[in-house]
Amino acid sequence: MRSIYCGQIREAHVGHSVQLVGWVNRRRDLGGVIFVQLRDREGLVQVVFDPDLQEVFDKANSLRAEFCVQIEGVVRARPESQVNADMATGAVEVLGKQLTIINKALPLPIALDDHQKNSEEARLKYRYLDLRRPEMTERLIFRAKVTGFVRRYLEAQGFLDIETPILTKATPEGARDYLVPSRTHKGKFFALPQSPQLFKQLLMVAGMDRYYQIVKCFRDEDLRADRQPEFTQIDIETSFLTAPEVRAITEGLVTELFEEMLGVKFDAFPTMTYLEAMTRFGSDKPDLRNPLEIVDVADLLAHVEFKVFNGPANDPKGRVAVIKVPGGASLSRKQLDDYQAFAGVYGAKGLPWLKVNDLSKGVEGLQSPILKFLDDQAIQGLLARLEVADGDLLLFGSDSYKVCTDALGALRLKLGEDLGFTRTEEWAPLWVVDFPMFEEDEGRLYALHHPFTAPLNASPEQLTADPLSTISNAYDMVLNGVELGGGSVRIHDNAMQQAVFKLLGISSEEAEEKFGFLLEALQYGAPVHAGLAFGLDRLVMLMTGASSIRDVMAFPKTTTAACPLTEAPSFANPQALEELSLAVKKTDA
Amino acid sequence: MRSIYCGQIREAHVGHSVQLVGWVNRRRDLGGVIFVQLRDREGLVQVVFDPDLQEVFDKANSLRAEFCVQIEGVVRARPESQVNADMATGAVEVLGKQLTIINKALPLPIALDDHQKNSEEARLKYRYLDLRRPEMTERLIFRAKVTGFVRRYLEAQGFLDIETPILTKATPEGARDYLVPSRTHKGKFFALPQSPQLFKQLLMVAGMDRYYQIVKCFRDEDLRADRQPEFTQIDIETSFLTAPEVRAITEGLVTELFEEMLGVKFDAFPTMTYLEAMTRFGSDKPDLRNPLEIVDVADLLAHVEFKVFNGPANDPKGRVAVIKVPGGASLSRKQLDDYQAFAGVYGAKGLPWLKVNDLSKGVEGLQSPILKFLDDQAIQGLLARLEVADGDLLLFGSDSYKVCTDALGALRLKLGEDLGFTRTEEWAPLWVVDFPMFEEDEGRLYALHHPFTAPLNASPEQLTADPLSTISNAYDMVLNGVELGGGSVRIHDNAMQQAVFKLLGISSEEAEEKFGFLLEALQYGAPVHAGLAFGLDRLVMLMTGASSIRDVMAFPKTTTAACPLTEAPSFANPQALEELSLAVKKTDA
């Protein structure tokens, strides 16, 4: 029914007859002539209906927005004055000779020309209309190109696309599992996978050597802006490769992907330890486009007669640090109060500040509510370490290590954005490595990555002797402050896996019940193996500049995990529940 | 850790040092020398450890089956007498110089050299070992190559890989849905999709033009040999293409796939109507490698004084038909009884037979328990229509159309296999088209494909006036008697969709509740659209000659929908059920 896509017609086609199919993007009557913008997946073209061709002109007169039509016509150059340089097809138009209405459209429930007017609820309810907006169509096309590129890259390197089950056993990887009741084993449940982690490890035990999958994963979490109940992972696992080798392959993938899709050339990614990232940037996924840094000053303030500083400065679990904001001395009291409130969200009890108005005046040139608590030694130390200049602002964090780091880390991002420090046109990828194996909370250990992550250069005995000092062989790829992917060398040794479970407080009975198959598999010649998983949705969101992962998914859910389009979830057939031997105890209104 | 895969070493590498990693497939001591067959994903190679290299020889002495090892050595030609032409690497061997044991293996719970000894339960429980068998490894590699080829083919033709949701709304497409309770909307459920049918149609309404996805689908059916709770579909949908155009694209895909993967060249697929397939082959997925056909003879037997024949022959809903088995006159009474029992499974009350022993003797040369019921006219008519020769056997079906057709259709397949008529080395693809829109059962209509299938050349009024005579615009691709894929032109018109729902006995309230979003979408300029879905598991099973789809899946479930490896499904955390507001009423032992 089509000889060419609307969006592909160019001056080279002038004089050609074309058959087009698509949707009426807009219809205008000007000077007795009807102009129809016809739209398909590849773009727009202007079609002109002339009253000289009475029959087709009359039919064109009945067209309304979003009618689906077939048009036969002849391509001609637009008059010079009407050339539209903003349109790919703006130099040409099609003189309509025949018109068939394939399907009419009722007046639209959402506006397609300016989606800002539509609520997200309405956009999701009429997703099939929302996706007609060129911006949305282009994102889905972009996403399809990304997955195609990723697949070709990995397959060229010997990775096998192997499917793992969606109906799996519950795993305790933090987030809640979605459960699926079994009919043939009443009272039992499958779980939807949070990731194919254990299956991909078993594929390595099976000798598959290089595995990848672009695969749906599921988390029944309370949703935040950037979370979805189902999301897509580029999942990778390899045998017999070291961590740097896995990083090289996946860095190559992302580097070539950005060059292919965006023409962006990356240098080799810098590698930064977790400790450095937390110290300098207050985050394990630092946004390196932002030049602001956190500088430790506990040693300079340990002696001052000011409890807010000397408490944390003398506590081994405390932290006292400063962000220097060039030019920040001009911030108003109101702005400083707002930043203090912002830091308060992260637990900071205050946000002491110091403005450097005029260094030539000495202490007189400084302005700060806490100036009276600082002696000359402290002041000179601060000015020197932070290399201050006139107009600078110092913002102080002083609290437990965690509160101080989190608050200043978040503040750094906000300041960078608010005050224009962050170079938003740049791309800043890096690797973060050398994570601790464990975090401690209320005397319990938690795996920083997951319990299958191998330690770096430690035996089971060494790990058990000093778990909190042990570094894991894990790595995260970070881009512009977003974690694009994370991975690790996995434990391939039964004794090491048992040691980790024990440290995590998993009894041997529990380990056997939940992970018995993994522990058993590690006893039959399991190879060394390592892998990584990328969040595809986030990757495409970053690459397309979309503001939400929902904008790069065809049919996302709302933040309450519902689908306004199909009205899922919905009540189940009572007979189905009977067959599953399930009773609903309480139903939300 | 590796310079080359084991299975890739050839004579060209003689003299090269190599680093290998893999598994000990076998270890033998012969004449004071240790021979290790080392195995990786790509194959086997022989490694020789010589007692001259004492240290590595001693280490090699400790190797057991399935130890995971790294070996450094030098490739050398095998002595002429030891060349193994059955092995890809059989002309060479590696002299082992260094050996590192990466991981030991306990004695194996299943045999890897001869899997016939293992129960399927044991194979699934130790799947990570079962997959090490080269036959299984090769199938997964083959499958990955198939999906890669399919993706490249479709993407080159402008198909966009677009993901549709796994957490969806229940659909009434026959098989039971797997349900997923919602935590944020207590008492409500998601369903896992039986196919992305409605979503792909909505993507067409959204203007995506050409969609594909290799996607998991789910059916909570009582499993038969060739069914799995989750299976994979190559799902395709297009806008503005006719049924023959969709068939051309998908036939091209399968044709090129077979040539690429198997070197098999297909001619253009024959197209056969549903009616012809049922009439000649008793099946809507005829195996054309089997030359036996079903021949209607009701007109020849309507007048005979034999109730078994003249009843169905004079009933418009009856059928009387014959399969001629060349050489079948030599079948024993026992064999004929067995075939009668076989036909009985399909409801046939008997299986009258007639042997043609010697045509030159006239009726004397025929042998049949029913000969006495047949007059000369009937006999001559049969002999002529079936073009019989000495040694032929005629097997009669006479019953309702359905029983006769099903029984002879199944018998035809069994005879073809048992007696060697079926040319099992051949490939026989075809299209079956012109299916009825509906089947009738106890006064109710059922959609033969699904309720979104468009009729061929009928208005809603014409369809409603005579639904059972209306042909649908559907098509199935059949290969060797297996339905590889099925598809149709879809309904793109709201009135037509409503008419079909009404004919199927779906009230307008029910239609609104279940499919309101589809009916609404059809009112906003829905394009004409058509598609097809292939069963990937079956396709790969056929191509690899596997006997079950379980053998082409990495981690299949048992026939009771369980996973012996992970022991899924399992009991859920009571707290999780509490959060879902669910109670289990009864638990299977």
Side-chain angles (χ1 to χ4, degrees):
Chain A
M1 295 177 69
R2 161 201 288 136
S3 65
I4 186 170
Y5 281 108
C6 298
Q8 293 174 340
I9 302 177
R10 296 288 182 276
E11 285 179 279
H13 301 106
V14 168
H16 292 208
S17 287
V18 290
Q19 275 194 316
L20 305 175
V21 280
W23 287 265
V24 175
N25 199 57
R26 197 197 300 170
R27 198 207 66 178
R28 286 177 306 160
D29 302 7
L30 271 180
V33 173
I34 298 174
F35 291 89
V36 168
Q37 257 191 356
L38 192 67
R39 188 194 65 238
D40 64 21
R41 190 180 90 180
E42 302 296 329
L44 296 161
V45 73
Q46 176 165 288
V47 183
V48 182
F49 294 96
D50 197 288
D52 292 351
L53 298 165
Q54 185 67 40
E55 196 182 341
V56 67
F57 181 86
D58 289 346
K59 220 187 252 181
N61 217 1
S62 75
L63 294 180
R64 297 291 176 272
E66 299 306 319
F67 275 30
C68 181
V69 299
Q70 183 186 34
I71 290 172
E72 292 185 43
V74 175
V75 181
R76 64 185 190 192
R78 292 202 202 183
E80 193 101 13
S81 63
Q82 290 176 27
V83 167
N84 181 346
D86 294 339
M87 261 176 101
T89 63
V92 295
E93 61 189 13
V94 174
L95 177 63
K97 303 257 184 171
Q98 291 208 41
L99 169 62
T100 308
I101 295 174
I102 295 171
N103 223 337
K104 296 183 179 184
L106 296 179
L108 297 194
I110 61 171
L112 299 195
D113 48 349
D114 180 6
H115 75 283
Q116 300 301 342
K117 291 178 195 162
N118 305 313
S119 70
E120 181 144 23
E121 181 87 9
R123 288 179 55 205
L124 293 180
K125 179 169 170 61
Y126 297 100
R127 192 61 163 180
Y128 48 87
L129 297 177
D130 188 49
L131 291 177
R132 288 187 188 171
R133 295 191 295 112
E135 182 181 49
M136 293 300 286
T137 304
E138 283 160 19
R139 283 180 186 143
L140 291 191
I141 294 174
F142 189 96
R143 182 177 175 130
K145 286 185 179 164
V146 168
T147 54
F149 183 91
V150 168
R151 291 181 185 284
R152 288 191 300 276
Y153 179 93
L154 291 173
E155 289 174 18
Q157 303 215 20
F159 285 84
L160 301 176
D161 179 6
I162 302 177
E163 294 178 71
T164 53
I166 296 291
L167 294 170
T168 66
K169 184 172 176 164
T171 60
E173 277 179 44
R176 280 189 205 88
D177 289 320
Y178 276 103
L179 296 178
V180 183
S182 162
R183 185 175 53 83
T184 45
H185 304 271
K186 291 195 205 331
K188 294 189 175 181
F189 294 80
F190 295 101
L192 303 184
Q194 292 169 26
S195 90
Q197 182 64 34
L198 294 181
F199 287 107
K200 69 177 176 174
Q201 290 192 233
L202 292 176
L203 287 173
M204 294 303 104
V205 178
M208 294 301 144
D209 205 63
R210 291 185 172 204
Y211 145 95
Y212 92 96
Q213 194 182 186
I214 298 184
V215 62
K216 280 280 177 71
C217 302
F218 303 86
R219 290 195 187 165
D220 186 13
E221 290 180 292
D222 295 315
L223 300 177
R224 284 177 274 156
D226 209 17
R227 288 276 170 87
Q228 280 282 306
E230 53 183 296
F231 55 98
T232 305
Q233 211 162 275
I234 304 170
D235 199 42
I236 290 170
E237 195 75 9
T238 68
S239 293
F240 307 118
L241 294 185
T242 61
E245 287 168 332
V246 172
R247 292 202 292 268
I249 289 173
T250 49
E251 179 175 326
L253 167 60
V254 170
T255 299
E256 292 193 21
L257 178 68
F258 271 74
E259 179 153 12
E260 167 82 12
M261 297 295 300
L262 300 175
V264 170
K265 293 193 194 220
F266 289 150
D267 294 330
F269 295 7
T271 297
M272 185 179 291
T273 66
Y274 172 84
L275 185 62
E276 183 180 353
M278 296 303 281
T279 303
R280 291 174 57 195
F281 305 105
S283 168
D284 59 359
K285 38 180 191 283
D287 187 347
L288 299 186
R289 301 173 307 166
N290 177 345
L292 302 177
E293 292 199 21
I294 300 166
V295 177
D296 276 287
V297 295
D299 58 317
L300 301 176
L301 299 174
H303 69 279
V304 302
E305 301 274 335
F306 183 36
K307 208 176 48 185
V308 169
F309 286 156
N310 67 24
N314 288 296
D315 179 349
K317 292 191 172 174
R319 186 175 186 189
V320 186
V322 171
I323 295 178
K324 178 180 76 175
V325 186
S330 64
L331 291 186
S332 69
R333 184 65 201 228
K334 167 81 171 59
Q335 285 174 299
L336 291 171
D337 285 349
D338 287 348
Y339 285 121
Q340 178 170 325
F342 176 84
V345 172
Y346 298 86
K349 287 178 288 288
L351 184 66
W353 53 267
L354 187 156
K355 289 183 177 178
V356 180
N357 293 326
D358 186 349
L359 279 176
S360 68
K361 293 185 183 167
V363 176
E364 296 297 303
L366 305 179
Q367 178 191 354
S368 168
I370 56 157
L371 201 57
K372 56 181 175 281
F373 300 115
L374 303 180
D375 58 18
D376 200 53
Q377 186 192 346
I379 289 174
Q380 294 312 322
L382 286 170
L383 299 184
R385 180 165 301 168
L386 289 152
E387 299 177 357
V388 298
D390 286 353
D392 286 355
L393 168 73
L394 305 188
L395 294 168
F396 292 78
S398 185
D399 214 305
S400 69
Y401 180 87
K402 182 170 165 47
V403 167
C404 176
T405 304
D406 287 354
L408 292 189
L411 194 61
R412 174 183 168 270
L413 293 181
K414 186 159 173 56
L415 291 163
E417 200 173 295
D418 290 353
L419 307 178
F421 289 109
T422 302
R423 300 178 294 266
T424 51
E425 301 310 306
E426 282 183 20
W427 297 96
L430 78 154
W431 288 104
V432 178
V433 300
D434 291 358
F435 293 83
M437 278 288 281
F438 302 103
E439 293 178 306
E440 190 176 18
D441 188 28
E442 300 188 353
R444 277 195 57 181
L445 294 184
Y446 295 89
L448 210 75
H449 274 76
H450 55 54
F452 318 109
T453 304
L456 190 64
N457 305 322
S459 68
E461 296 71 28
Q462 289 167 323
L463 176 70
T464 303
D466 191 1
L468 282 169
S469 302
T470 308
I471 297 297
S472 75
N473 205 348
Y475 33 83
D476 280 358
M477 187 190 288
V478 175
L479 178 64
N480 296 359
V482 174
E483 185 196 324
L484 269 195
S488 62
V489 174
R490 323 301 184 183
I491 295 169
H492 74 290
D493 175 71
N494 179 287
M496 180 68 83
Q497 189 64 70
Q498 297 213 40
V500 168
F501 285 154
K502 196 168 172 191
L503 286 165
L504 292 171
I506 301 175
S507 70
S508 53
E509 293 73 30
E510 190 184 350
E512 181 55 36
E513 191 195 322
K514 289 184 176 164
F515 305 114
F517 62 100
L518 174 69
L519 289 170
E520 194 167 15
L522 297 182
Q523 294 183 297
Y524 293 110
V528 290
H529 57 292
L532 183 138
F534 289 106
L536 175 65
D537 311 293
R538 277 193 209 170
L539 175 64
V540 177
M541 178 184 79
L542 278 185
M543 293 183 81
T544 58
S547 54
S548 157
I549 59 169
R550 291 190 297 281
D551 279 347
V552 297
M553 303 171 87
F555 299 103
K557 304 273 190 304
T558 64
T559 48
T560 65
C563 173
L565 168 62
T566 60
E567 294 179 346
S570 56
F571 291 115
N573 186 331
Q575 191 193 328
L577 294 183
E578 194 58 43
E579 286 192 342
L580 296 170
S581 202
L582 279 185
V584 171
K585 296 200 291 185
K586 174 173 161 284
T587 297
D588 282 353
Chain B
M1 294 177 71
R2 162 201 287 137
S3 65
I4 187 170
Y5 281 108
C6 297
Q8 292 174 340
I9 302 176
R10 295 289 181 276
E11 285 180 280
H13 301 105
V14 168
H16 291 208
S17 287
V18 290
Q19 275 193 315
L20 305 175
V21 280
W23 287 265
V24 174
N25 199 57
R26 197 198 300 170
R27 197 207 67 179
R28 287 177 305 161
D29 302 8
L30 272 180
V33 174
I34 298 174
F35 292 89
V36 168
Q37 258 190 356
L38 192 67
R39 189 193 64 240
D40 63 21
R41 190 180 91 181
E42 303 296 327
L44 298 161
V45 72
Q46 176 164 287
V47 183
V48 182
F49 294 96
D50 196 288
D52 292 352
L53 299 165
Q54 185 67 41
E55 198 183 338
V56 67
F57 181 86
D58 289 346
K59 219 185 253 181
N61 217 1
S62 75
L63 294 180
R64 297 291 177 271
E66 299 304 318
F67 275 32
C68 181
V69 298
Q70 182 186 34
I71 291 172
E72 293 185 43
V74 175
V75 182
R76 65 186 189 192
R78 291 201 202 184
E80 193 98 19
S81 63
Q82 290 175 29
V83 167
N84 181 345
D86 295 338
M87 262 176 98
T89 64
V92 294
E93 61 189 13
V94 174
L95 177 64
K97 304 257 184 171
Q98 290 207 42
L99 168 62
T100 308
I101 295 174
I102 295 171
N103 223 336
K104 296 182 178 184
L106 295 179
L108 297 193
I110 61 171
L112 298 195
D113 48 349
D114 181 5
H115 75 283
Q116 300 302 341
K117 292 178 193 161
N118 305 312
S119 69
E120 181 145 23
E121 180 89 8
R123 287 179 55 203
L124 294 181
K125 180 169 169 59
Y126 298 100
R127 192 61 161 180
Y128 47 87
L129 297 178
D130 188 49
L131 292 177
R132 287 186 189 171
R133 294 191 296 112
E135 183 182 48
M136 293 299 287
T137 304
E138 283 158 20
R139 285 179 185 144
L140 292 192
I141 294 174
F142 189 95
R143 180 177 176 131
K145 285 184 181 165
V146 168
T147 54
F149 183 90
V150 168
R151 292 180 183 285
R152 287 190 301 275
Y153 179 92
L154 291 173
E155 288 175 17
Q157 304 215 18
F159 284 84
L160 301 176
D161 179 6
I162 302 177
E163 293 178 71
T164 53
I166 297 291
L167 294 170
T168 66
K169 184 171 177 166
T171 61
E173 278 179 44
R176 280 189 205 88
D177 289 320
Y178 276 103
L179 296 178
V180 183
S182 163
R183 184 175 53 82
T184 45
H185 304 271
K186 290 193 206 331
K188 294 188 176 182
F189 294 80
F190 295 101
L192 303 184
Q194 292 170 29
S195 89
Q197 182 63 35
L198 294 181
F199 287 108
K200 69 177 177 175
Q201 291 191 232
L202 292 176
L203 287 173
M204 294 303 104
V205 178
M208 293 302 143
D209 204 63
R210 293 186 170 203
Y211 145 94
Y212 92 96
Q213 193 181 189
I214 299 185
V215 61
K216 281 278 178 72
C217 302
F218 304 85
R219 289 193 188 166
D220 186 12
E221 291 179 292
D222 294 316
L223 301 176
R224 285 176 273 158
D226 210 17
R227 288 275 171 86
Q228 280 282 307
E230 54 183 295
F231 56 98
T232 304
Q233 213 161 274
I234 303 170
D235 199 42
I236 289 169
E237 195 76 9
T238 67
S239 294
F240 308 116
L241 295 185
T242 61
E245 287 169 331
V246 172
R247 292 202 291 270
I249 288 174
T250 51
E251 179 175 325
L253 167 61
V254 170
T255 300
E256 292 194 20
L257 178 67
F258 271 74
E259 178 153 13
E260 166 82 11
M261 296 296 299
L262 299 174
V264 170
K265 293 192 192 220
F266 289 151
D267 294 330
F269 294 7
T271 298
M272 186 180 290
T273 65
Y274 173 84
L275 184 63
E276 182 180 355
M278 297 303 281
T279 303
R280 291 174 57 195
F281 305 105
S283 169
D284 60 358
K285 39 180 191 285
D287 187 347
L288 299 186
R289 301 173 307 167
N290 178 345
L292 302 178
E293 291 198 20
I294 300 167
V295 177
D296 276 287
V297 295
D299 57 320
L300 301 176
L301 299 175
H303 70 279
V304 302
E305 301 275 334
F306 182 37
K307 205 176 52 184
V308 169
F309 286 156
N310 67 23
N314 288 296
D315 179 351
K317 293 190 171 176
R319 185 174 187 192
V320 186
V322 171
I323 295 178
K324 178 180 77 173
V325 185
S330 63
L331 291 186
S332 69
R333 185 66 202 227
K334 167 81 170 63
Q335 285 173 302
L336 290 171
D337 286 348
D338 287 348
Y339 285 122
Q340 177 171 326
F342 177 83
V345 172
Y346 297 87
K349 288 177 287 289
L351 184 66
W353 53 266
L354 188 156
K355 290 183 176 177
V356 181
N357 293 326
D358 187 348
L359 278 175
S360 68
K361 294 184 182 166
V363 176
E364 296 298 303
L366 305 178
Q367 178 191 354
S368 168
I370 57 158
L371 202 56
K372 56 180 175 280
F373 299 116
L374 303 181
D375 58 19
D376 200 54
Q377 184 191 347
I379 290 174
Q380 293 312 322
L382 287 170
L383 298 185
R385 180 166 302 167
L386 289 152
E387 300 176 357
V388 297
D390 286 354
D392 286 355
L393 168 72
L394 304 188
L395 293 169
F396 292 79
S398 184
D399 214 309
S400 68
Y401 181 87
K402 182 170 165 46
V403 166
C404 175
T405 303
D406 287 354
L408 292 189
L411 194 60
R412 174 184 169 270
L413 293 181
K414 187 160 172 56
L415 290 164
E417 200 173 296
D418 289 354
L419 306 179
F421 289 108
T422 302
R423 300 178 292 268
T424 50
E425 301 309 307
E426 283 182 19
W427 297 98
L430 78 153
W431 288 105
V432 177
V433 300
D434 290 357
F435 293 83
M437 279 287 282
F438 302 103
E439 293 178 306
E440 190 176 20
D441 189 27
E442 299 186 353
R444 277 195 57 181
L445 295 183
Y446 296 88
L448 211 75
H449 273 76
H450 55 54
F452 317 109
T453 303
L456 192 64
N457 304 323
S459 67
E461 295 73 25
Q462 290 166 322
L463 177 69
T464 303
D466 191 1
L468 282 169
S469 302
T470 307
I471 298 296
S472 74
N473 206 348
Y475 33 83
D476 280 358
M477 188 191 288
V478 174
L479 177 64
N480 296 358
V482 174
E483 183 196 325
L484 270 193
S488 62
V489 175
R490 324 300 184 182
I491 296 170
H492 74 290
D493 175 71
N494 179 288
M496 180 67 84
Q497 189 63 70
Q498 297 213 41
V500 169
F501 285 154
K502 196 169 173 190
L503 286 166
L504 292 171
I506 301 175
S507 71
S508 53
E509 292 74 28
E510 190 184 350
E512 180 56 35
E513 191 196 323
K514 288 183 176 166
F515 305 115
F517 61 99
L518 174 69
L519 289 170
E520 194 166 16
L522 297 182
Q523 295 183 295
Y524 293 109
V528 289
H529 57 292
L532 182 139
F534 289 106
L536 175 65
D537 310 293
R538 278 194 208 170
L539 174 65
V540 176
M541 179 184 78
L542 278 185
M543 294 183 80
T544 58
S547 53
S548 157
I549 60 169
R550 291 190 297 281
D551 279 348
V552 297
M553 303 172 87
F555 299 104
K557 304 271 189 307
T558 63
T559 48
T560 64
C563 173
L565 168 63
T566 60
E567 294 179 345
S570 56
F571 291 114
N573 186 332
Q575 191 193 328
L577 294 183
E578 194 58 44
E579 285 191 343
L580 296 171
S581 203
L582 279 185
V584 171
K585 295 200 293 186
K586 173 172 163 283
T587 297
D588 283 353

